Amino acid sequence: MVELERSYMSSLNVIDLRTHERGPYSLSIAPGECVSLRGDSGSGKSLLLRAIADLDPHEGQVLLDNMPVTQFTAPQWRKRVALLPAESQWWQDEVGAHFPTEECPWFEPLGFGTETMRWQVSRLSSGEKQRLALARILMNKPRVLLLDEPTASLDANNVITVERLIDEYRHTTDAAVLWVSHDAQQATRVGNRHLQLTTKGIREDLA
Amino acid sequence: MITLSAVDLSLAAGLVLAMAALSWRMQLGLSGQLLIAGTRTVVQLLLIGLVLKALFANVDLLWVTGISLVMLLAAGREVMARQQRRFTGWWGFGMGTGAMFISSFAITVLALTTMVATDPWYDPQYAVPLLGMLLGNTMSGIALALDRLTTTAWQQRAIIEQRLMLGAARLDAIAEIRREAMRSGMMPIINSMAAAGLVSLPGMMTGQILAGSPPLEAVKYQILIMFLISAGTGFGVTAALWLASKRLFDDRDRLRLDKLSGPRR
Protein backbone atom coordinates (compact mmCIF):
# COMPACT_ATOMS: atom_id res chain seq x y z
CA MET A 1 0.00 0.00 0.00
CA VAL A 2 1.50 3.29 1.05
CA GLU A 3 5.16 3.92 0.46
CA LEU A 4 6.97 5.64 3.26
CA GLU A 5 10.53 6.57 3.85
CA ARG A 6 11.91 4.69 6.78
CA SER A 7 12.49 7.54 9.18
CA TYR A 8 14.97 7.77 11.99
CA MET A 9 14.62 5.50 14.98
CA SER A 10 11.87 7.03 17.10
CA SER A 11 11.66 6.64 20.78
CA LEU A 12 9.81 8.58 23.38
CA ASN A 13 11.07 9.11 26.90
CA VAL A 14 9.03 10.75 29.61
CA ILE A 15 10.84 11.37 32.91
CA ASP A 16 9.12 12.67 36.06
CA LEU A 17 6.49 14.58 34.14
CA ARG A 18 4.18 16.67 36.29
CA THR A 19 1.21 18.57 34.91
CA HIS A 20 -1.87 20.10 36.51
CA GLU A 21 -0.70 18.91 39.96
CA ARG A 22 -0.56 15.31 38.79
CA GLY A 23 2.32 12.91 38.43
CA PRO A 24 5.22 12.34 38.43
CA TYR A 25 4.79 10.16 35.39
CA SER A 26 7.62 8.25 33.72
CA LEU A 27 7.43 6.01 30.69
CA SER A 28 9.43 5.12 27.63
CA ILE A 29 8.45 3.66 24.30
CA ALA A 30 10.93 1.99 21.96
CA PRO A 31 10.92 2.57 18.19
CA GLY A 32 8.13 0.63 16.55
CA GLU A 33 6.56 -0.25 19.87
CA CYS A 34 2.91 0.24 20.79
CA VAL A 35 2.09 0.75 24.44
CA SER A 36 -1.48 0.78 25.69
CA LEU A 37 -2.52 3.13 28.47
CA ARG A 38 -5.54 2.58 30.66
CA GLY A 39 -6.91 4.39 33.66
CA ASP A 40 -10.18 5.38 35.24
CA SER A 41 -11.94 8.35 33.76
CA GLY A 42 -10.60 11.45 35.44
CA SER A 43 -7.24 9.83 36.12
CA GLY A 44 -5.62 12.32 33.75
CA LYS A 45 -4.90 10.28 30.62
CA SER A 46 -5.77 13.15 28.30
CA LEU A 47 -3.81 15.63 30.42
CA LEU A 48 -0.77 13.36 30.23
CA LEU A 49 -1.01 13.21 26.43
CA ARG A 50 -1.45 16.99 26.25
CA ALA A 51 1.66 17.54 28.36
CA ILE A 52 3.71 15.13 26.22
CA ALA A 53 2.58 17.05 23.12
CA ASP A 54 3.68 20.24 24.97
CA LEU A 55 0.20 21.74 24.88
CA ASP A 56 0.10 22.34 28.62
CA PRO A 57 2.77 23.69 30.96
CA HIS A 58 4.61 20.87 32.70
CA GLU A 59 7.67 19.98 34.72
CA GLY A 60 10.02 17.10 34.10
CA GLN A 61 11.54 15.94 30.85
CA VAL A 62 10.16 14.67 27.58
CA LEU A 63 12.64 13.42 25.01
CA LEU A 64 12.39 12.27 21.42
CA ASP A 65 15.40 10.18 20.41
CA ASN A 66 17.17 11.55 23.49
CA MET A 67 16.56 15.13 22.35
CA PRO A 68 14.63 17.18 24.88
CA VAL A 69 11.49 19.01 23.83
CA THR A 70 13.27 22.35 24.29
CA GLN A 71 15.57 21.49 21.36
CA PHE A 72 12.58 21.78 19.04
CA THR A 73 10.28 24.68 18.30
CA ALA A 74 6.78 23.89 19.52
CA PRO A 75 5.38 23.35 15.97
CA GLN A 76 8.32 21.08 15.08
CA TRP A 77 7.72 19.05 18.23
CA ARG A 78 3.99 18.67 17.67
CA LYS A 79 4.50 17.54 14.09
CA ARG A 80 6.83 14.81 15.34
CA VAL A 81 4.99 13.95 18.56
CA ALA A 82 1.43 13.98 17.28
CA LEU A 83 -1.62 14.00 19.50
CA LEU A 84 -4.87 12.66 18.10
CA PRO A 85 -7.50 13.98 20.51
CA ALA A 86 -10.66 12.07 21.34
CA GLU A 87 -12.75 14.67 19.57
CA SER A 88 -11.35 16.20 16.39
CA GLN A 89 -12.02 19.77 15.31
CA TRP A 90 -12.69 21.05 11.82
CA TRP A 91 -12.77 24.76 11.08
CA GLN A 92 -13.16 25.00 7.31
CA ASP A 93 -16.21 24.10 5.21
CA GLU A 94 -14.60 21.38 3.12
CA VAL A 95 -12.58 18.41 4.30
CA GLY A 96 -9.81 19.13 1.80
CA ALA A 97 -9.08 22.56 3.28
CA HIS A 98 -7.71 20.82 6.37
CA PHE A 99 -5.13 18.86 4.39
CA PRO A 100 -1.81 20.24 3.15
CA THR A 101 -2.08 18.46 -0.23
CA GLU A 102 -4.89 17.43 -2.54
CA GLU A 103 -3.98 13.75 -2.28
CA CYS A 104 -3.89 11.84 0.97
CA PRO A 105 -2.28 8.39 0.85
CA TRP A 106 -4.26 7.33 3.93
CA PHE A 107 -7.70 7.85 2.39
CA GLU A 108 -7.82 4.57 0.50
CA PRO A 109 -6.85 2.27 3.40
CA LEU A 110 -9.39 4.10 5.58
CA GLY A 111 -12.18 3.63 3.06
CA PHE A 112 -12.25 7.12 1.55
CA GLY A 113 -11.73 8.29 -2.02
CA THR A 114 -10.33 11.40 -3.69
CA GLU A 115 -13.85 12.92 -3.74
CA THR A 116 -13.80 12.91 0.08
CA MET A 117 -11.64 16.05 -0.09
CA ARG A 118 -14.69 17.95 -1.36
CA TRP A 119 -17.08 16.66 1.31
CA GLN A 120 -18.71 19.20 3.60
CA VAL A 121 -17.46 18.93 7.15
CA SER A 122 -20.96 19.67 8.50
CA ARG A 123 -22.23 16.44 6.97
CA LEU A 124 -19.55 14.12 8.35
CA SER A 125 -20.56 11.46 10.86
CA SER A 126 -18.56 11.23 14.06
CA GLY A 127 -16.97 8.01 12.80
CA GLU A 128 -15.93 9.67 9.53
CA LYS A 129 -14.48 12.59 11.45
CA GLN A 130 -12.46 10.24 13.62
CA ARG A 131 -10.98 8.37 10.65
CA LEU A 132 -10.31 11.57 8.70
CA ALA A 133 -8.60 13.09 11.74
CA LEU A 134 -6.26 10.09 11.80
CA ALA A 135 -5.51 10.56 8.08
CA ARG A 136 -4.89 14.26 8.72
CA ILE A 137 -2.43 13.76 11.58
CA LEU A 138 -0.54 11.07 9.63
CA MET A 139 0.13 13.66 6.90
CA ASN A 140 2.74 15.13 9.28
CA LYS A 141 4.55 11.74 9.29
CA PRO A 142 4.80 11.77 13.08
CA ARG A 143 7.44 9.71 14.83
CA VAL A 144 5.37 9.37 17.96
CA LEU A 145 1.60 8.90 17.92
CA LEU A 146 -0.39 9.78 21.02
CA LEU A 147 -3.83 8.30 20.42
CA ASP A 148 -6.70 9.24 22.71
CA GLU A 149 -9.44 6.65 22.20
CA PRO A 150 -8.94 6.66 18.42
CA THR A 151 -11.74 4.15 17.71
CA ALA A 152 -14.34 5.32 20.25
CA SER A 153 -17.01 6.21 17.68
CA LEU A 154 -16.27 3.55 15.05
CA ASP A 155 -18.21 0.43 14.14
CA ALA A 156 -16.52 -2.96 14.47
CA ASN A 157 -15.28 -3.08 10.86
CA ASN A 158 -13.73 0.33 11.02
CA VAL A 159 -12.12 -0.44 14.37
CA ILE A 160 -10.23 -3.27 12.66
CA THR A 161 -9.35 -1.04 9.70
CA VAL A 162 -7.92 1.67 11.94
CA GLU A 163 -6.03 -0.80 14.14
CA ARG A 164 -4.48 -2.34 11.01
CA LEU A 165 -3.52 1.02 9.57
CA ILE A 166 -1.82 2.19 12.76
CA ASP A 167 -0.06 -1.16 13.04
CA GLU A 168 1.19 -0.84 9.49
CA TYR A 169 2.29 2.76 9.97
CA ARG A 170 4.18 1.79 13.10
CA HIS A 171 5.99 -1.07 11.38
CA THR A 172 6.91 0.80 8.22
CA THR A 173 8.09 3.95 10.00
CA ASP A 174 9.28 2.60 13.37
CA ALA A 175 7.03 5.13 15.04
CA ALA A 176 6.32 4.81 18.74
CA VAL A 177 2.64 4.63 19.68
CA LEU A 178 0.93 5.43 22.98
CA TRP A 179 -2.66 4.21 22.75
CA VAL A 180 -5.27 5.22 25.30
CA SER A 181 -8.16 2.77 25.29
CA HIS A 182 -11.01 1.94 27.60
CA ASP A 183 -11.40 -1.42 25.92
CA ALA A 184 -9.25 -4.06 27.64
CA GLN A 185 -9.52 -6.39 24.64
CA GLN A 186 -8.35 -3.70 22.28
CA ALA A 187 -5.45 -2.86 24.59
CA THR A 188 -4.35 -6.50 24.53
CA ARG A 189 -4.80 -6.64 20.75
CA VAL A 190 -2.78 -3.57 19.80
CA GLY A 191 -0.26 -3.13 22.62
CA ASN A 192 3.14 -4.74 23.06
CA ARG A 193 3.12 -3.50 26.63
CA HIS A 194 0.37 -2.19 28.86
CA LEU A 195 0.44 0.68 31.31
CA GLN A 196 -2.02 1.68 33.99
CA LEU A 197 -2.39 5.32 35.00
CA THR A 198 -3.16 6.03 38.65
CA THR A 199 -3.14 9.21 40.67
CA LYS A 200 0.30 8.26 41.98
CA GLY A 201 1.90 7.57 38.66
CA ILE A 202 2.20 4.94 35.98
CA ARG A 203 2.68 1.25 36.58
CA GLU A 204 3.22 -1.67 34.26
CA ASP A 205 0.01 -3.64 33.89
CA LEU A 206 0.90 -7.31 33.75
CA ALA A 207 -2.64 -8.69 33.86
CA MET B 1 -21.87 83.22 16.79
CA ILE B 2 -25.04 83.06 18.88
CA THR B 3 -24.14 82.40 22.51
CA LEU B 4 -26.39 80.15 24.57
CA SER B 5 -27.87 81.43 27.81
CA ALA B 6 -28.66 79.44 30.94
CA VAL B 7 -32.33 79.61 29.95
CA ASP B 8 -31.58 77.94 26.61
CA LEU B 9 -29.78 75.07 28.33
CA SER B 10 -32.54 74.76 30.93
CA LEU B 11 -35.07 74.29 28.15
CA ALA B 12 -32.98 71.43 26.71
CA ALA B 13 -32.59 69.97 30.18
CA GLY B 14 -36.38 70.12 30.53
CA LEU B 15 -36.66 67.74 27.56
CA VAL B 16 -34.37 65.23 29.30
CA LEU B 17 -36.42 65.56 32.50
CA ALA B 18 -39.60 64.97 30.52
CA MET B 19 -38.08 61.83 29.00
CA ALA B 20 -37.00 60.65 32.46
CA ALA B 21 -40.56 61.17 33.76
CA LEU B 22 -41.96 59.22 30.81
CA SER B 23 -39.50 56.40 31.43
CA TRP B 24 -40.51 56.35 35.08
CA ARG B 25 -44.20 56.16 34.15
CA MET B 26 -43.54 53.36 31.66
CA GLN B 27 -41.35 51.56 34.21
CA LEU B 28 -38.48 51.28 31.74
CA GLY B 29 -35.93 51.51 34.53
CA LEU B 30 -33.99 54.07 32.54
CA SER B 31 -34.86 57.27 34.36
CA GLY B 32 -32.15 56.90 37.03
CA GLN B 33 -29.42 56.18 34.50
CA LEU B 34 -30.63 58.98 32.24
CA LEU B 35 -30.56 61.56 35.02
CA ILE B 36 -27.17 60.46 36.32
CA ALA B 37 -25.68 60.49 32.82
CA GLY B 38 -27.21 63.90 32.15
CA THR B 39 -25.78 65.31 35.37
CA ARG B 40 -22.39 63.81 34.55
CA THR B 41 -22.47 65.51 31.16
CA VAL B 42 -23.06 68.89 32.73
CA VAL B 43 -20.42 68.53 35.45
CA GLN B 44 -17.73 66.90 33.28
CA LEU B 45 -18.14 69.28 30.38
CA LEU B 46 -18.17 72.37 32.63
CA LEU B 47 -15.00 71.12 34.30
CA ILE B 48 -13.23 70.44 31.00
CA GLY B 49 -14.43 73.84 29.79
CA LEU B 50 -12.72 75.47 32.76
CA VAL B 51 -9.60 73.37 32.25
CA LEU B 52 -9.43 74.30 28.56
CA LYS B 53 -9.96 77.97 29.40
CA ALA B 54 -7.04 77.89 31.83
CA LEU B 55 -4.96 75.88 29.36
CA PHE B 56 -5.55 78.32 26.51
CA ALA B 57 -4.60 81.20 28.75
CA ASN B 58 -1.24 79.62 29.68
CA VAL B 59 0.23 77.82 26.66
CA ASP B 60 2.73 75.48 28.28
CA LEU B 61 4.01 72.12 26.99
CA LEU B 62 4.03 70.69 30.50
CA TRP B 63 0.33 71.39 31.02
CA VAL B 64 -0.59 70.03 27.60
CA THR B 65 1.41 66.86 28.29
CA GLY B 66 -0.27 66.52 31.66
CA ILE B 67 -3.81 66.72 30.34
CA SER B 68 -2.89 64.42 27.43
CA LEU B 69 -1.76 61.76 29.88
CA VAL B 70 -4.95 62.09 31.91
CA MET B 71 -6.96 61.62 28.70
CA LEU B 72 -4.84 58.60 27.73
CA LEU B 73 -5.26 56.91 31.10
CA ALA B 74 -9.00 57.51 31.07
CA ALA B 75 -9.23 55.99 27.58
CA GLY B 76 -7.12 53.02 28.71
CA ARG B 77 -9.44 52.43 31.64
CA GLU B 78 -12.42 52.59 29.30
CA VAL B 79 -10.90 49.99 26.93
CA MET B 80 -10.34 47.68 29.87
CA ALA B 81 -13.86 48.20 31.23
CA ARG B 82 -15.40 47.21 27.90
CA GLN B 83 -13.75 43.76 27.83
CA GLN B 84 -15.83 40.69 28.61
CA ARG B 85 -12.64 38.78 29.34
CA ARG B 86 -9.67 40.96 30.01
CA PHE B 87 -6.04 40.02 30.41
CA THR B 88 -5.15 39.52 34.04
CA GLY B 89 -2.68 41.75 35.82
CA TRP B 90 -1.04 44.81 34.38
CA TRP B 91 -1.64 43.68 30.80
CA GLY B 92 -5.38 44.26 31.00
CA PHE B 93 -4.75 47.98 31.26
CA GLY B 94 -1.36 48.27 29.60
CA MET B 95 -2.17 46.59 26.31
CA GLY B 96 -4.88 48.98 25.12
CA THR B 97 -3.23 52.00 26.71
CA GLY B 98 0.12 51.24 25.10
CA ALA B 99 -1.44 50.74 21.68
CA MET B 100 -3.37 54.02 21.98
CA PHE B 101 -0.27 55.84 23.13
CA ILE B 102 1.84 54.86 20.14
CA SER B 103 -0.89 55.43 17.57
CA SER B 104 -2.88 58.46 18.82
CA PHE B 105 0.08 60.42 20.21
CA ALA B 106 2.29 59.81 17.18
CA ILE B 107 -0.42 60.83 14.73
CA THR B 108 -1.46 63.88 16.74
CA VAL B 109 2.12 65.12 16.92
CA LEU B 110 2.58 64.45 13.21
CA ALA B 111 -0.60 66.36 12.36
CA LEU B 112 0.32 69.28 14.62
CA THR B 113 3.82 69.64 13.29
CA THR B 114 3.13 69.14 9.57
CA MET B 115 -0.54 69.47 8.53
CA VAL B 116 -2.09 71.93 10.95
CA ALA B 117 1.30 73.50 11.70
CA THR B 118 0.31 75.56 14.72
CA ASP B 119 2.77 77.76 16.57
CA PRO B 120 3.89 76.45 19.00
CA TRP B 121 3.11 72.91 17.76
CA TYR B 122 1.53 72.01 21.12
CA ASP B 123 -0.93 74.94 21.04
CA PRO B 124 -3.69 73.49 23.26
CA GLN B 125 -6.50 75.00 21.19
CA TYR B 126 -5.59 72.47 18.48
CA ALA B 127 -3.64 69.80 20.34
CA VAL B 128 -6.25 68.88 22.96
CA PRO B 129 -9.35 68.54 20.70
CA LEU B 130 -7.32 66.72 18.03
CA LEU B 131 -5.90 64.23 20.50
CA GLY B 132 -9.33 63.84 22.07
CA MET B 133 -10.97 62.90 18.79
CA LEU B 134 -8.18 60.48 17.93
CA LEU B 135 -8.16 58.87 21.35
CA GLY B 136 -11.95 58.55 21.45
CA ASN B 137 -12.14 56.74 18.14
CA THR B 138 -9.00 54.63 18.60
CA MET B 139 -10.36 53.63 21.99
CA SER B 140 -13.61 52.32 20.49
CA GLY B 141 -11.75 50.43 17.78
CA ILE B 142 -9.29 48.84 20.17
CA ALA B 143 -11.98 47.93 22.68
CA LEU B 144 -14.10 46.24 20.00
CA ALA B 145 -11.15 44.41 18.46
CA LEU B 146 -9.70 43.15 21.73
CA ASP B 147 -13.09 42.02 22.96
CA ARG B 148 -13.69 40.17 19.72
CA LEU B 149 -10.27 38.51 19.86
CA THR B 150 -10.49 37.28 23.42
CA THR B 151 -14.11 36.12 23.39
CA THR B 152 -13.64 34.28 20.08
CA ALA B 153 -10.41 32.68 21.28
CA TRP B 154 -12.28 31.53 24.36
CA GLN B 155 -15.15 30.07 22.33
CA GLN B 156 -12.87 28.46 19.75
CA ARG B 157 -10.34 27.10 22.17
CA ALA B 158 -10.72 23.53 20.88
CA ILE B 159 -10.16 24.60 17.27
CA ILE B 160 -7.09 26.69 18.10
CA GLU B 161 -5.59 23.81 20.04
CA GLN B 162 -6.41 21.36 17.25
CA ARG B 163 -4.43 23.53 14.87
CA LEU B 164 -1.54 23.69 17.32
CA MET B 165 -1.62 19.88 17.56
CA LEU B 166 -1.27 19.71 13.78
CA GLY B 167 1.89 21.82 14.03
CA ALA B 168 0.59 25.32 13.39
CA ALA B 169 2.53 28.21 14.94
CA ARG B 170 0.57 30.38 17.35
CA LEU B 171 -0.09 33.26 14.97
CA ASP B 172 -1.25 30.86 12.24
CA ALA B 173 -3.56 29.10 14.68
CA ILE B 174 -5.48 32.33 15.33
CA ALA B 175 -4.96 34.06 11.97
CA GLU B 176 -8.68 34.07 11.06
CA ILE B 177 -9.74 35.20 14.51
CA ARG B 178 -7.25 38.04 14.34
CA ARG B 179 -8.53 39.06 10.94
CA GLU B 180 -12.11 39.10 12.22
CA ALA B 181 -11.08 41.14 15.26
CA MET B 182 -9.25 43.60 13.00
CA ARG B 183 -12.37 43.98 10.88
CA SER B 184 -14.65 44.63 13.82
CA GLY B 185 -12.24 47.25 15.17
CA MET B 186 -12.03 49.08 11.84
CA MET B 187 -15.67 48.82 10.78
CA PRO B 188 -17.00 51.88 12.68
CA ILE B 189 -14.53 54.33 11.15
CA ILE B 190 -14.84 52.80 7.67
CA ASN B 191 -18.62 53.07 7.96
CA SER B 192 -18.54 56.64 9.15
CA MET B 193 -16.14 57.65 6.35
CA ALA B 194 -18.45 56.00 3.83
CA ALA B 195 -21.58 57.63 5.28
CA ALA B 196 -20.03 61.05 5.96
CA GLY B 197 -22.09 63.83 4.44
CA LEU B 198 -24.72 61.49 3.03
CA VAL B 199 -26.27 60.02 6.13
CA SER B 200 -24.79 62.21 8.83
CA LEU B 201 -23.00 65.49 9.16
CA PRO B 202 -19.96 64.74 11.30
CA GLY B 203 -20.10 66.38 14.73
CA MET B 204 -16.91 68.39 14.45
CA MET B 205 -17.87 69.87 11.11
CA THR B 206 -21.32 70.71 12.41
CA GLY B 207 -19.71 72.44 15.36
CA GLN B 208 -17.43 74.54 13.20
CA ILE B 209 -20.32 75.55 10.96
CA LEU B 210 -22.43 76.50 13.97
CA ALA B 211 -19.47 78.54 15.22
CA GLY B 212 -19.52 80.45 11.96
CA SER B 213 -16.73 78.84 9.89
CA PRO B 214 -17.20 78.80 6.12
CA PRO B 215 -18.58 75.34 5.23
CA LEU B 216 -15.67 74.40 2.96
CA GLU B 217 -13.13 75.21 5.67
CA ALA B 218 -15.08 72.98 8.06
CA VAL B 219 -15.21 70.25 5.42
CA LYS B 220 -11.45 70.35 4.93
CA TYR B 221 -10.89 69.98 8.65
CA GLN B 222 -13.35 67.12 8.80
CA ILE B 223 -11.60 65.28 5.97
CA LEU B 224 -8.27 65.71 7.73
CA ILE B 225 -9.73 64.40 11.01
CA MET B 226 -11.39 61.39 9.36
CA PHE B 227 -8.13 60.40 7.70
CA LEU B 228 -6.18 60.84 10.91
CA ILE B 229 -8.77 58.81 12.82
CA SER B 230 -8.78 55.95 10.33
CA ALA B 231 -5.00 55.75 10.30
CA GLY B 232 -4.80 56.09 14.07
CA THR B 233 -7.45 53.45 14.64
CA GLY B 234 -5.80 51.12 12.13
CA PHE B 235 -2.34 51.39 13.67
CA GLY B 236 -3.72 51.24 17.20
CA VAL B 237 -5.87 48.16 16.56
CA THR B 238 -2.99 46.45 14.76
CA ALA B 239 -0.65 47.07 17.67
CA ALA B 240 -3.19 46.00 20.29
CA LEU B 241 -4.05 42.80 18.42
CA TRP B 242 -0.40 41.98 17.91
CA LEU B 243 0.30 42.34 21.63
CA ALA B 244 -2.86 40.47 22.60
CA SER B 245 -2.31 37.60 20.16
CA LYS B 246 1.17 37.04 21.51
CA ARG B 247 -0.08 37.29 25.05
CA LEU B 248 -2.75 34.61 24.49
CA PHE B 249 0.07 32.10 24.03
CA ASP B 250 3.28 31.40 25.88
CA ASP B 251 6.77 30.98 24.45
CA ARG B 252 6.06 27.30 23.69
CA ASP B 253 3.07 28.22 21.52
CA ARG B 254 0.56 26.95 24.06
CA LEU B 255 -2.85 28.59 24.22
CA ARG B 256 -2.96 30.17 27.69
CA LEU B 257 -6.54 31.22 28.35
CA ASP B 258 -5.64 31.26 32.03
CA LYS B 259 -4.19 34.70 31.29
CA LEU B 260 -7.74 35.94 30.77
CA SER B 261 -10.13 36.72 33.59
CA GLY B 262 -13.53 35.10 33.86
CA PRO B 263 -16.57 36.59 32.13
CA ARG B 264 -17.78 39.92 33.48
CA ARG B 265 -21.23 39.96 34.99
Side-chain angles (χ1 to χ4, degrees), chain B residues 22-190:
Chain B
L22 183 68
S23 154
W24 179 72
R25 269 302 292 271
M26 291 170 69
Q27 300 185 324
L28 295 178
L30 283 173
S31 42
Q33 274 178 296
L34 192 61
L35 291 177
I36 291 173
T39 314
R40 279 187 62 168
T41 303
V42 174
V43 175
Q44 288 166 202
L45 289 184
L46 279 179
L47 279 177
I48 195 69
L50 291 174
V51 170
L52 289 178
K53 193 179 165 192
L55 216 54
F56 292 177
N58 314 285
V59 176
D60 184 346
L61 182 57
L62 211 64
W63 281 107
V64 176
T65 311
I67 191 148
S68 305
L69 285 179
V70 172
M71 288 160 70
L72 175 69
L73 294 182
R77 208 203 69 87
E78 191 64 25
V79 167
M80 191 175 75
R82 289 193 202 171
Q83 305 298 310
Q84 283 288 319
R85 296 177 184 278
R86 65 181 68 125
F87 286 89
T88 53
W90 186 87
W91 282 96
F93 180 73
M95 194 172 285
T97 313
M100 279 187 291
F101 176 73
I102 51 175
S103 65
S104 297
F105 275 56
I107 287 195
T108 306
V109 171
L110 181 75
L112 288 172
T113 49
T114 61
M115 301 160 217
V116 185
T118 48
D119 182 38
W121 65 268
Y122 50 85
D123 182 357
Q125 189 193 338
Y126 290 87
V128 174
L130 214 57
L131 180 67
M133 277 187 287
L134 271 166
L135 271 181
N137 286 279
T138 314
M139 174 186 86
S140 303
I142 290 178
L144 281 170
L146 280 182
D147 192 49
R148 182 68 179 263
L149 182 82
T150 51
T151 47
T152 316
W154 188 279
Q155 286 159 1
Q156 299 195 3
R157 155 184 223 147
I159 287 176
I160 299 171
E161 292 203 315
Q162 172 78 77
R163 298 178 74 162
L164 294 175
M165 285 173 210
L166 288 165
R170 52 188 170 181
L171 290 186
D172 295 329
I174 56 160
E176 281 87 353
I177 299 176
R178 249 179 112 180
R179 206 169 302 142
E180 278 306 304
M182 185 80 205
R183 284 174 53 85
S184 52
M186 288 298 287
M187 255 325 127
I189 179 62
I190 291 178

Side-chain angles (χ1 to χ4, degrees), chain A residues 11-191:
Chain A
S11 65
L12 179 73
N13 271 294
V14 175
I15 304 159
D16 289 334
L17 181 75
R18 289 170 194 270
T19 180
H20 291 276
E21 284 147 31
R22 292 160 194 269
Y25 303 119
S26 296
L27 63 92
S28 68
I29 307 176
E33 189 183 28
C34 178
V35 173
S36 78
L37 179 70
R38 295 173 63 203
D40 302 330
S41 55
S43 59
K45 301 183 293 286
S46 301
L47 288 178
L48 172 63
L49 298 194
R50 283 176 62 93
I52 296 175
D54 206 12
L55 279 166
D56 279 339
H58 55 84
E59 289 162 41
Q61 277 197 297
V62 185
L63 303 111
L64 175 68
D65 301 329
N66 297 320
M67 295 242 282
V69 55
T70 45
Q71 294 274 307
F72 302 83
T73 69
Q76 282 172 350
W77 178 264
R78 293 184 195 124
K79 280 182 181 169
R80 287 167 175 77
V81 180
L83 169 57
L84 184 68
E87 195 180 333
S88 63
Q89 301 292 330
W90 304 81
W91 57 93
Q92 305 278 10
D93 293 345
E94 284 192 2
V95 169
H98 301 83
F99 284 78
T101 53
E102 285 178 25
E103 297 275 310
C104 173
W106 312 105
F107 272 13
E108 200 210 315
L110 284 168
F112 297 112
T114 43
E115 77 284 358
T116 307
M117 286 294 189
R118 290 188 304 277
W119 286 2
Q120 294 293 306
V121 165
S122 55
R123 301 178 67 175
L124 296 176
S125 72
S126 56
E128 285 167 339
K129 274 188 191 164
Q130 195 152 33
R131 284 180 290 144
L132 285 169
L134 176 64
R136 182 173 63 176
I137 199 89
L138 290 181
M139 293 300 284
N140 284 341
K141 297 189 179 139
R143 290 155 69 186
V144 176
L145 272 174
L146 309 169
L147 307 173
D148 196 349
E149 307 255 13
T151 60
S153 40
L154 301 183
D155 58 42
N157 281 336
N158 278 316
V159 170
I160 301 296
T161 309
V162 165
E163 286 179 6
R164 279 214 192 109
L165 178 68
I166 293 170
D167 200 54
E168 167 135 12
Y169 180 81
R170 177 162 68 88
H171 283 114
T172 45
T173 62
D174 258 341
V177 178
L178 183 59
W179 189 316
V180 170
S181 178
H182 267 310
D183 180 353
Q185 285 184 330
Q186 182 178 53
T188 320
R189 217 163 42 230
V190 300

